Amino acid sequence: MCWASAVPDQVSAAPDRSTLRLALVVGGLVLAVLLGFGLGRMNTTGTATGSPSLAADHTDPPGIGPHNHGSAASTDQGTATEPGGLAVSSAGFTLAPLTTEFAAGRPGQLRFQVRDVQRRPVTRFAVVHDKPMHLIVVRRDLTGYQHLHPTMAADGTWSVPLTLAQSGVWRAYGDFTVVADNGAQTAVTLGADLVVPGDYQPRSLPGPATSTTVDRFTVGYQGTPQARATVPLTFRVDGAGGAAPLERYLGAYGHLVALREGDLGYLHVHPEPELVDGQIKFWLSTPGPGRYRLYLDFQVGTEVHTAEFTLTVP
């Protein structure tokens, strides 16, 4: 870089060497700052911000192993430190029900939005296990379990038909993954209460058992869950003629939801990609001792069934 100055005879004079060295130093500093800024922008990552829109695919790699949803912290093996669904707001997002009261035994419509920190409806979600939103509804005594998949309108309002059979307070869990404008994904599980007015008669949980019957099937599991440790649980489903011909449901041979008695802390666990000796194998971590209710969804003959178990973790 150089400068020219006019002289009376119109001849350009060259700058002295000290001026030239100063110009080179200044130019080098400017270039370094610009390069640093560009590299910083290239390496920036973060959680979802703003009001995302549209739909996106989940970034789990193909053939991913079993894992948990709904935990406050987790590892690739599904180890959870705290269950999810205990709060209506988390990670900058809020579950906002537009309908919260239902009549016992009468069909209704549950409508809700997921809102960001500016209270704007979020409209961009990853498709996780075939659906962008998994909605779990259960009464606070852990009866009446339902696993639903709402549909979303363009304005970010989710809706799903819902019938709550009995009076009491029910818990609705939204299990979803938000996609930000920069592609970053944030998995969140939020919970909100629904109310059915009337006389509430809570039911006691059945005692712990490793086998139960549902519809025409006998379902049993093997494994001993331990607090704050990841252990295998293997479920076998038998029909009248032996092992039932299990089918994939939401991309897997089974889905397991665990709810902790008392605070209704939530874990949604997914199994090994393939059956293991004809059985559904999960890796489960419970965040602490207590009683849990397990709900296993499985599909046979295009029909989904739910087997329920009570589990005591010492």
Side-chain angles (χ1 to χ4, degrees), residues 137 197 248 254:
V137 181
R248 291 188 183 274

Side-chain angles (χ1 to χ4, degrees), residues 192-227:
D193 284 342
L194 308 175
V195 177
V196 179
D199 184 23
Y200 173 46
Q201 298 293 333
R203 297 181 183 177
S204 299
L205 283 181
T210 58
S211 180
T212 189
T213 58
V214 53
D215 302 326
R216 62 186 184 277
F217 301 101
T218 299
V219 184
Y221 75 85
Q222 291 182 326
T224 305
Q226 303 172 32

Side-chain angles (χ1 to χ4, degrees), residues 90-259:
S90 181
F93 301 99
T94 298
L95 182 65
L98 305 180
T99 50
T100 58
E101 186 171 310
F102 293 79
R106 295 179 60 180
Q109 189 86 0
L110 176 61
R111 300 173 65 247
F112 63 93
Q113 293 178 334
V114 176
R115 296 175 181 164
D116 63 16
V117 291
Q118 284 82 35
R119 298 191 59 78
R120 298 173 300 183
V122 177
T123 56
R124 190 179 184 193
F125 298 82
V127 175
V128 180
H129 300 284
D130 291 351
K131 298 292 181 180
M133 176 68 69
H134 296 265
L135 183 75
I136 304 298
V137 181
V138 67
R139 201 167 73 152
R140 280 200 165 267
D141 61 357
L142 298 177
T143 63
Y145 169 90
Q146 300 181 56
H147 183 169
L148 307 172
H149 300 103
T151 57
M152 188 187 73
D155 68 351
T157 299
W158 295 88
S159 60
V160 64
L162 178 63
T163 301
L164 302 179
Q166 297 176 326
S167 301
V169 177
W170 296 66
R171 190 70 171 171
Y173 302 89
D175 184 345
F176 55 89
T177 298
V178 175
V179 182
D181 292 334
N182 65 1
Q185 298 191 11
T186 304
V188 187
T189 301
L190 302 176
D193 284 342
L194 308 175
V195 177
V196 179
D199 184 23
Y200 173 46
Q201 298 293 333
R203 297 181 183 177
S204 299
L205 283 181
T210 58
S211 180
T212 189
T213 58
V214 53
D215 302 326
R216 62 186 184 277
F217 301 101
T218 299
V219 184
Y221 75 85
Q222 291 182 326
T224 305
Q226 303 172 32
R228 293 175 292 276
T230 301
V231 298
L233 282 188
T234 305
F235 288 82
R236 178 182 177 88
V237 181
D238 287 308
L246 296 170
E247 301 165 348
R248 291 188 183 274
Y249 168 58
L250 301 175
Y253 283 105
H255 294 270
L256 182 66
V257 168
L259 298 178

Side-chain angles (χ1 to χ4, degrees), residues 5 11 16 42 52-53 62 65 75 108 123 146 163 259 287:
S5 59
V11 176
D16 57 36
M42 290 173 63
S53 59
T75 69
T123 56
Q146 300 181 56
T163 301
L259 298 178

